[in-house]
Amino acid sequence: MNKITKHYSQTLYLFTVYGSFILVLLGIFFAVTYYKYMVNIRNEAARSLENMCASISNAVETQLDSLSAISLNIVYSNLIKSNFKDFSNNYNTFQEQNQTFAQPEGLSFPKSTAAQEESSTPNSAARENAETIHHVVTAMIGAYQSASDIRLYTMDGCYVESGYWLSTSKADLSSFSWYDEVVKLNGYKYISAPHTRRDLPASGKNLDTRKFISLVRLFLGADGSPEGIAEVVQDCGKIFDLASQLEDSNDGIQAYIYNSRREAVYPYSDPLACEPYRTFVEQNQIGEGTSKIVTNKKHHKVLATQESIGKYDWSVVLVQSEASIYRPLHSFQHLFIGTTCLSILLTLLICFYISKRFTVPLQKLTAATKKITIDRVLDEHKVNLTTADSNIKELSILCESVRSMYDKLRSNSKEILLLRNEETRAKLQATQSFINPHFLYNSLTNISVMAEENMNGEIVTMCQALCIYFRYISSSGQMMVPLQQELANTEAYLKCMQMRYADELAYTFSIPENVKKIRIPKLIAQPIVENAFKYAFVKNPPWNLSIAAFLQGEHWYLTIEVNGGTMTDEKKEELLQLYEHLNLDEELKSMKIGGMGLKNVYLRLKLLYGEDAVFQIEKTPSQTTKFILGGHLHAKKDSLPNQAGL
């Protein structure tokens, strides 16, 4: 089975191949560029995030160091310790009602609202001690308020509040969340979680929440026994000011700060709602000063980095959403897509131009070769082909080769055509010549039998019919004859046969007028009729034979129907298959006198009509055999013999 080959336009082929190749290269180039740009943005975001995390860590550490320094200065200040000790002793003689003192500036301050406060009126000694402590503390925290508030507690709950307020009161120390831890630490600092103090002023984002952090430690006496507690309070808005500023100025960045107890101290507005990013950092093994993409509990990918505040065992975690990281890429995407589309369009146009430029000479050459027909070759007025101009050396050589081939074709075509006609004429004459002796032998046998039976009159009639028949077949100048002439010769043959069989044989002709002058191959009906006498008429007479002809479209048909009924379906298929696969050249070489019959007819039809030849055998329900012969009204040009040369 032959494989079907698909054909493509050279222009389309070149355009597709080169266009696809360049598009792939452009796609790879832009994809790599886009990927590298994306990696650079992510790396830049990581470096920026790490720097911001380190800055926040340093800023928070500075604030905590300031609180720790104030706390140490207080607990190690001899002036504060002596006055606080005197205040503790003098306060025991306070009256039942607590007296609130004004600051030196003469401003009036409200009472403290500590839990379970007890009011009393300090005596002048306690008042002097408190004011002295206040002056010293004010000098420590400075004009910039490095601490929002400071409280010095006695171990029985009496305290002096200094800084923003100057007041004295008493509180239940056990009610403070930090008390037990401070006592256990025995002089070491304790930093509380953010807590609310509505009595103190706040700044920045802390104006509404009023969250503060306390650094607390014990006063220790010379013998190491606790003498009091120092609490330094600072506004969360100041401690975490840099974190808030960086969040505001960098979209998508969120800071999380955790203390040594893994409590979220920032964002301080709602610490319980903070995601446990410190756990994510530990689980994903993100080291200090490094960044990594992690997935939070909301299943969003974020870039996370962390820094530790070693002195205080605090952790600063900074995260940035992946969407905000690649947001600067959006503007590049528009430029990238626009450039890509423009590049693709320009590339396609260039590829189309190149392919068109390359294939125009081929198209001209193709158009020129399509003009090479037998009519043009034989037409003396059409000599040259259209030239296909091209600067490409190979195409120019190809064009010249085609022109040279065309010239040679013109010079040899007539000779080839004449040789072909002579070859076909020789083959037709060869097949026709084998019919003559075959029928002659049969006819002489019949005359011999008639002579033995003294049928002199019939012998004369038969000899006259034989003369007409042999005069017809011996006229070798005509290979194609009118259908009417062919059937007249066949009727002469039937008359000869009827002389022998008399009433046992009946034949009819059904030939319309429009068919009689159709030219058909000579001697194709008589061999079929002779074959009927040899093989078909084996049953008891009468024997009937009918010959008909008709036109259908551009084809003529001749039917010969006999009532023999001896040809089986298997024999019919065997004959048709045998004839269909005949090799004409080999059959012509191996032809022998006698026994040609149906094969001879088939060979001559194929020689003249090729694929248009009709040779069929049919069995009818009435047990008759019908032979159908036919062909195109115009035989193949290269099969028609040159009548002028005969």
Side-chain angles (χ1 to χ4, degrees):
M1 184 175 181
N2 294 332
K3 184 178 179 181
I4 299 176
T5 303
K6 294 183 178 180
H7 300 282
Y8 303 95
S9 167
Q10 187 69 12
T11 303
L12 179 62
Y13 178 78
L14 291 175
F15 175 72
T16 303
V17 171
Y18 289 117
S20 300
F21 177 72
I22 295 176
L23 286 180
V24 170
L25 290 182
L26 282 175
I28 294 174
F29 170 75
F30 282 116
V32 171
T33 303
Y34 186 84
Y35 175 76
K36 289 194 173 221
Y37 190 75
M38 186 171 64
V39 170
N40 290 338
I41 285 180
R42 187 174 63 187
N43 292 338
E44 185 64 30
R47 286 192 295 270
S48 177
L49 200 67
E50 291 164 9
N51 292 335
M52 285 190 286
C53 188
S55 298
I56 293 174
S57 176
N58 292 333
V60 172
E61 184 177 17
T62 300
Q63 290 290 332
L64 295 180
D65 285 344
S66 176
L67 296 181
S68 180
I70 293 173
S71 175
L72 289 174
N73 289 335
I74 289 173
V75 298
Y76 287 111
S77 172
N78 292 326
L79 182 59
I80 292 178
K81 290 173 70 173
S82 61
N83 278 278
F84 184 67
K85 185 175 182 181
D86 292 339
F87 169 80
S88 177
N89 294 329
N90 294 328
Y91 196 83
N92 291 327
T93 63
F94 283 0
Q95 300 176 357
E96 292 294 328
Q97 186 176 1
N98 186 25
Q99 178 75 31
T100 301
F101 303 107
Q103 283 187 338
E105 291 80 5
L107 298 176
S108 177
F109 298 93
K111 292 182 179 180
S112 173
T113 56
Q116 300 182 13
E117 292 180 351
E118 297 180 4
S119 299
S120 60
T121 302
N123 56 26
S124 59
R127 178 187 178 95
E128 290 177 0
N129 295 139
E131 288 180 348
T132 301
I133 293 173
H134 173 72
H135 291 308
V136 175
V137 168
T138 301
M140 287 182 179
I141 64 177
Y144 295 102
Q145 293 287 307
S146 55
S148 297
D149 192 45
I150 295 174
R151 285 186 178 183
L152 302 178
Y153 298 90
T154 64
M155 297 309 295
D156 58 1
C158 298
Y159 67 84
V160 175
E161 183 175 6
S162 183
Y164 185 77
W165 299 107
L166 172 57
S167 64
T168 60
S169 187
K170 190 172 185 179
D172 182 7
L173 295 179
S174 61
S175 65
F176 293 112
S177 60
W178 44 257
Y179 177 70
D180 293 332
E181 289 294 328
V182 170
V183 172
K184 289 180 182 178
L185 290 173
N186 195 32
Y188 289 98
K189 60 182 175 295
Y190 173 87
I191 302 175
S192 71
H195 54 277
T196 304
R197 287 283 300 271
R198 293 292 178 184
D199 58 324
L200 295 178
S203 61
K205 292 183 178 180
N206 199 26
L207 285 173
D208 296 327
T209 55
R210 300 293 181 93
K211 295 288 185 177
F212 294 84
I213 285 179
S214 298
L215 189 149
V216 190
R217 66 170 78 236
L218 285 177
F219 274 102
L220 297 178
D223 57 355
S225 60
E227 295 182 348
I229 299 173
E231 178 187 11
V232 181
V233 181
Q234 181 59 298
D235 177 9
C236 286
K238 291 185 177 180
I239 296 177
F240 307 113
D241 180 57
L242 182 59
S244 299
Q245 291 181 18
L246 291 177
E247 284 182 341
D248 292 339
S249 59
N250 295 275
D251 184 31
I253 292 180
Q254 181 65 53
Y256 297 90
I257 303 176
Y258 304 88
N259 61 19
S260 59
R261 299 180 297 279
R262 294 179 176 268
E263 297 171 333
V265 295
Y266 184 88
Y268 47 79
S269 58
D270 189 8
L272 297 178
C274 297
E275 291 194 40
Y277 276 108
R278 180 163 182 171
T279 303
F280 285 125
V281 166
E282 294 174 350
Q283 290 175 348
N284 290 277
Q285 299 179 346
I286 302 176
E288 290 190 31
T290 60
S291 303
K292 191 173 183 180
I293 297 290
V294 298
T295 303
N296 59 22
K297 65 181 181 180
K298 295 180 181 178
H299 305 290
H300 295 157
K301 287 187 176 182
V302 296
L303 180 66
T305 185
Q306 69 102 10
E307 284 282 345
S308 295
I309 304 176
K311 292 182 181 179
Y312 305 97
D313 195 21
W314 280 28
S315 293
V316 179
V317 178
L318 218 58
V319 298
Q320 184 175 7
S321 64
E322 196 174 41
S324 65
I325 293 175
Y326 297 123
R327 189 169 291 120
L329 195 60
H330 293 168
S331 58
F332 174 75
Q333 281 179 338
H334 297 300
L335 178 62
F336 177 82
I337 293 173
T339 305
T340 303
C341 294
L342 184 61
S343 300
I344 291 174
L345 180 60
L346 184 60
T347 300
L348 293 177
L349 290 176
I350 293 174
C351 291
F352 181 78
Y353 174 78
I354 293 174
S355 61
K356 193 72 175 177
R357 182 76 176 172
F358 184 75
T359 56
V360 163
L362 291 177
Q363 291 173 351
K364 290 183 179 180
L365 183 61
T366 302
T369 55
K370 287 181 179 179
K371 296 178 181 179
I372 303 177
T373 62
I374 190 64
D375 293 332
R376 184 183 179 92
V377 169
L378 298 177
D379 193 344
E380 296 294 337
H381 300 289
K382 296 181 179 180
V383 179
N384 296 322
L385 291 175
T386 303
T387 181
D389 298 327
S390 176
N391 295 326
I392 301 175
K393 182 179 180 180
E394 290 78 5
L395 289 179
S396 298
I397 294 174
L398 179 60
C399 294
E400 290 302 321
S401 299
V402 172
R403 290 174 61 84
S404 176
M405 179 193 69
Y406 177 74
D407 293 336
K408 291 179 181 178
L409 181 62
R410 286 181 59 84
S411 63
N412 297 330
S413 58
K414 289 185 179 181
E415 182 182 351
I416 293 172
L417 184 58
L418 288 173
L419 291 174
R420 180 71 176 177
N421 288 338
E422 288 297 325
E423 179 186 5
T424 303
R425 179 175 177 274
K427 290 179 179 179
L428 289 173
Q429 285 184 335
T431 56
Q432 181 176 318
S433 65
F434 285 109
I435 297 176
N436 299 340
H438 183 273
F439 178 63
L440 177 60
Y441 298 152
N442 291 339
S443 298
L444 290 176
T445 300
N446 291 336
I447 292 174
S448 174
V449 172
M450 293 170 67
E452 290 176 357
E453 296 180 2
N454 296 318
M455 300 172 64
N456 296 329
E458 287 83 353
I459 291 174
V460 172
T461 303
M462 188 170 184
C463 286
Q464 291 176 345
L466 282 175
C467 288
I468 295 172
Y469 177 76
F470 278 105
R471 186 179 297 113
Y472 173 72
I473 65 175
S474 63
S475 58
S476 59
Q478 292 183 338
M479 298 298 159
M480 302 288 288
V481 297
L483 175 64
Q484 183 178 12
Q485 185 178 348
E486 172 68 12
L487 295 183
N489 175 69
T490 304
E491 187 175 10
Y493 171 80
L494 287 173
K495 285 181 180 180
C496 292
M497 302 306 293
Q498 199 171 37
M499 294 292 295
R500 178 178 179 181
Y501 296 109
D503 295 336
E504 293 179 348
L505 173 65
Y507 60 87
T508 60
F509 287 87
S510 178
I511 312 298
E513 287 296 328
N514 64 335
V515 183
K516 289 182 179 180
K517 294 185 179 181
I518 297 299
R519 299 183 70 83
I520 65 172
K522 190 176 181 179
L523 291 174
I524 64 167
Q526 185 270 336
I528 303 297
V529 174
E530 183 181 354
N531 188 78
F533 282 98
K534 186 176 181 180
Y535 297 106
F537 297 151
V538 295
K539 70 174 187 177
N540 294 328
W543 300 317
N544 298 315
L545 186 146
S546 61
I547 299 176
F550 60 92
L551 290 177
Q552 184 174 332
E554 294 293 320
H555 290 75
W556 62 266
Y557 294 91
L558 179 66
T559 63
I560 302 172
E561 187 173 353
V562 296
N563 65 339
T566 60
M567 183 176 290
T568 63
D569 291 334
E570 290 77 9
K571 182 64 175 177
K572 178 191 73 172
E573 292 299 328
E574 180 182 348
L575 286 175
L576 293 177
Q577 289 292 326
L578 175 63
Y579 294 159
E580 185 178 349
H581 295 89
L582 286 178
N583 186 311
L584 296 184
D585 293 332
E586 294 298 326
E587 290 296 329
L588 290 171
K589 293 177 183 177
S590 62
M591 290 174 64
K592 298 179 181 179
I593 296 176
M596 291 300 295
L598 299 178
K599 184 188 292 187
N600 186 291
V601 174
Y602 177 81
L603 288 173
R604 288 192 294 127
L605 286 172
K606 292 296 288 184
L607 279 171
L608 287 169
Y609 298 104
E611 296 298 325
D612 287 328
V614 178
F615 185 90
Q616 299 176 2
I617 303 175
E618 294 182 356
K619 288 287 298 298
T620 66
S622 60
Q623 295 300 309
T624 62
T625 302
K626 180 187 289 188
F627 294 86
I628 303 174
L629 312 176
H632 201 275
L633 291 177
H634 306 287
K636 298 187 299 180
K637 291 184 179 181
D638 59 350
S639 298
L640 292 174
N642 188 353
Q643 301 291 339
L646 298 178

